[in-house]
Amino acid sequence: MSQMTPGARFRAALDANRPLPILGTINAYTALMADKVGHQAIYLSGGGVANASFGLPDLGMTTMNDVVEDAHRICGATELPLLVDIDTGWGGAFNIARTVKEMQRAGVAAVHMEDQVAQKRCGHRPNKAIVSQQEMVDRIKAAADAKIDPDFYLIARTDAFQKRALTPPLSGPMPVWKRGRMPSSPKRCIPWMTTRLFCQRVNAPILANITEFGATPLFTQQELGDVGCRMVLYPLSAFRAMNAAALQVYQSILDNGHQKEVVPLMQTRDELYDFLNYHDFEQKLDALFAEKGDDQ
């Protein structure tokens, strides 16, 4: 077991990687797979919790307790530092403080919080509304004051990039670099140099959210690192692949009356056991029964 706190492990991974890829893990088992593959940081998406755990759209319909429960399960399965999406913090200053404390108690290493209004929308959807700059500052202060571990990592996310009609170089009525640390859904039509400028103007590590089928081009880690991005987030990549494979299996069984055609899509039993360290548990169980037999 590592003696470092989750926040310290996240900061160490950030220092060791430029940029640091952060992989979305929808549950404890996918977190185990990301760990064994060799990744150094993982993520729990608020939209992913709504979609996967509750069958709901990402419209602020889940609660802090819903997300904390999934985060707690993931942190119980791996020591990889976990970044969690806490949406708007689920309320005012006291609610935000409670959220940050509960996340730390669950073993979470870092969170990001956004500047949308409480009735939020997915970051890649239109018609979002954002709070005032001062309200977002108050949210961040409430979160920072609630840190138990001084290394617990806070990321401020802004939707101002899409919301405001900014002209290069981000010179709108409220420059977006005054807003946040994590721009959500920048479009390729904004000059690439603008992204570099954002990284230069904000005196903090920048996280780029590289999600599929959204408004953001799928820039590579090399491209993002070259302009100064320090973290690259893949929030739901594995989840989308899992869903597509599952749908093929369901459809094939319905159409054919068996699963033979889709077996190549599946993880084998041996592979499953390997990720779970199944045989280690079984050997301990065998040893326990052997000891009981000797006592009789």
Side-chain angles (χ1 to χ4, degrees):
M1 294 285 289
S2 171
Q3 297 303 308
M4 299 173 69
T5 65
R9 292 199 297 273
F10 185 87
R11 291 173 185 270
L14 183 59
D15 288 342
N17 297 270
R18 291 180 180 267
L20 171 66
I22 306 175
L23 278 294
T25 51
I26 203 66
N27 54 32
Y29 182 67
T30 57
L32 282 175
M33 289 196 292
D35 191 347
K36 290 205 173 185
V37 164
H39 287 290
Q40 297 182 43
I42 54 176
Y43 176 70
L44 180 62
S45 159
V49 172
N51 302 160
S53 295
F54 294 92
L56 293 171
D58 183 17
L59 289 170
M61 300 165 70
T62 50
T63 68
M64 177 199 73
N65 288 336
D66 297 332
V67 179
V68 166
E69 180 61 32
D70 281 1
H72 185 266
R73 291 172 179 172
I74 291 172
C75 292
T78 175
E79 287 198 345
L80 280 183
L82 176 67
L83 166 64
V84 175
D85 175 6
I86 62 169
D87 289 344
T88 63
W90 293 291
F94 293 143
N95 303 77
I96 291 168
R98 180 167 176 255
T99 294
V100 169
K101 288 178 180 177
E102 290 300 320
M103 289 293 167
Q104 289 172 90
R105 292 187 182 110
V108 171
V111 296
H112 72 68
M113 182 171 53
E114 64 199 51
D115 59 356
Q116 287 195 51
V117 297
Q119 196 61 52
K120 60 151 287 176
R121 297 172 185 249
C122 170
H124 288 255
R125 298 298 300 159
N127 302 320
K128 293 174 291 187
I130 58 176
V131 300
S132 69
Q133 183 178 358
Q134 185 57 53
E135 182 171 343
M136 185 56 178
V137 169
D138 291 342
R139 286 181 182 179
I140 296 168
K141 186 177 186 303
D145 289 344
K147 290 170 65 172
I148 301 168
D149 172 16
D151 286 326
F152 186 74
Y153 204 87
L154 298 174
I155 300 174
R157 168 183 149 172
T158 180
D159 281 284
F161 212 95
Q162 275 193 322
K163 179 63 183 173
R164 295 182 180 274
L166 301 178
T167 56
L170 297 180
S171 58
M174 183 182 297
V176 72
W177 56 73
K178 291 185 179 180
R179 272 271 174 178
R181 303 290 182 262
M182 173 183 169
S184 179
S185 60
K187 295 183 178 180
R188 170 104 43 192
C189 61
I190 299 174
W192 182 240
M193 286 299 295
T194 303
T195 305
R196 183 189 298 273
L197 183 61
F198 191 97
C199 293
Q200 291 173 345
R201 290 293 185 95
V202 177
N203 186 27
I206 299 296
L207 185 153
N209 181 9
I210 306 301
T211 189
E212 305 81 15
F213 312 110
T216 310
L218 300 184
F219 296 121
T220 68
Q221 292 172 36
Q222 179 70 51
E223 290 175 317
L224 292 164
D226 286 347
V227 297
C229 286
R230 293 291 311 282
M231 295 167 274
V232 184
L233 181 64
Y234 303 92
L236 293 169
S237 304
F239 177 57
R240 291 191 173 98
M242 292 159 59
N243 292 345
L247 188 59
Q248 288 185 59
V249 171
Y250 296 149
Q251 191 66 55
S252 182
I253 292 173
L254 178 66
D255 293 344
N256 303 315
H258 57 76
Q259 77 276 48
K260 296 177 183 178
E261 276 77 12
V262 290
V263 168
L265 293 174
M266 300 181 188
Q267 186 181 58
T268 68
R269 184 183 300 274
D270 286 342
E271 289 168 341
L272 174 70
Y273 285 177
D274 182 55
F275 281 111
L276 293 173
N277 291 322
Y278 178 91
H279 296 295
D280 290 346
F281 286 97
E282 197 170 61
Q283 288 169 8
K284 291 177 182 177
L285 192 61
D286 291 341
L288 176 63
F289 278 109
E291 289 175 5
K292 288 185 176 179
D294 292 339
D295 292 340
Q296 292 176 350

